[in-house]
């Protein structure tokens, strides 16, 4: 895993997959992201080393408390930013794609202002 943005993308993908299926494995992440299994395996191992996820003996991935909190925070940013961009008139796909990029670089203080704005609407 190259950087902070990739770490967040993996955590968000795991969270979304967990909402869709009972159990998540590295192969599910690879298929969703279109990445090589070897790349995802390295990324998942790094997330485990950093204390965000745990991998059981069967290869199923679960969040630690720390990982669940971070993944939820990232996903919340994604949803709020997507809503904002759709509210501005962007189509859903464009809003999703841009929210993915923005969520990783936006300052916490600015995001909180956006969140309050979106929640008022």
């Amino acid at each position: 895993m190259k950087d902070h943005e990739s770490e967040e993308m993996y955590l968000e993908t795991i969270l979304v997959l967990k909402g869709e299926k009972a159990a998540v494995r590295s192969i599910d992440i690879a298929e969703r992201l279109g990445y090589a299994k070897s790349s995802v395996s390295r990324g998942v191992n790094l997330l485990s080393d950093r204390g965000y996820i745990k991998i059981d003996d069967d290869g199923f991935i679960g969040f630690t408390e720390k990982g669940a909190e971070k993944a939820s925070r990232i996903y919340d940013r994604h949803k709020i930013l997507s809503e904002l961009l759709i509210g501005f008139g962007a189509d859903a796909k464009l809003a999703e794609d841009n929210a993915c990029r923005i969520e990783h670089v936006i300052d916490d203080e600015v995001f909180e202002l956006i969140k309050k704005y979106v929640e008022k609407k």
Side-chain angles (χ1 to χ4, degrees):
M1 189 173 318
K2 295 177 185 167
D3 59 16
H4 177 72
E5 187 174 322
S6 293
E7 177 181 280
E8 291 183 349
M9 184 174 52
Y10 275 69
L11 290 170
E12 183 178 3
T13 300
I14 294 166
L15 180 69
V16 170
L17 286 168
K18 284 183 136 327
E20 295 172 1
K21 51 188 358 185
V24 176
R25 291 183 172 179
S26 293
I27 187 68
D28 302 314
I29 299 165
E31 288 173 357
R32 175 61 54 98
L33 296 175
Y35 290 177
K37 292 179 220 170
S38 59
S39 296
V40 172
S41 181
R42 281 192 302 275
V44 165
N45 286 329
L46 282 170
L47 289 176
S48 178
D49 292 346
R50 293 175 183 167
Y52 292 118
I53 62 170
K54 51 189 181 277
I55 307 165
D56 72 15
D57 293 337
D58 295 319
F60 295 112
I61 298 169
F63 284 117
T64 62
E65 185 176 332
K66 174 182 167 182
E69 288 173 9
K70 185 166 185 169
S72 293
R73 191 171 56 252
I74 295 161
Y75 190 61
D76 183 48
R77 284 178 171 236
H78 183 93
K79 289 188 311 184
I80 294 290
L81 292 167
S82 292
E83 286 178 41
L84 178 71
L85 296 172
I86 289 169
F88 286 162
D91 69 53
K93 173 76 170 119
L94 184 62
E96 289 284 324
D97 291 347
N98 280 274
C100 267
R101 291 194 298 276
I102 296 167
E103 72 193 41
H104 303 292
V105 296
I106 193 168
D107 180 272
D108 290 339
E109 186 177 339
V110 172
F111 174 73
E112 287 303 318
L113 293 170
I114 290 170
K115 184 176 179 179
K116 286 178 188 173
Y117 175 81
V118 169
E119 288 173 347
K120 281 188 210 176
K121 296 285 175 192

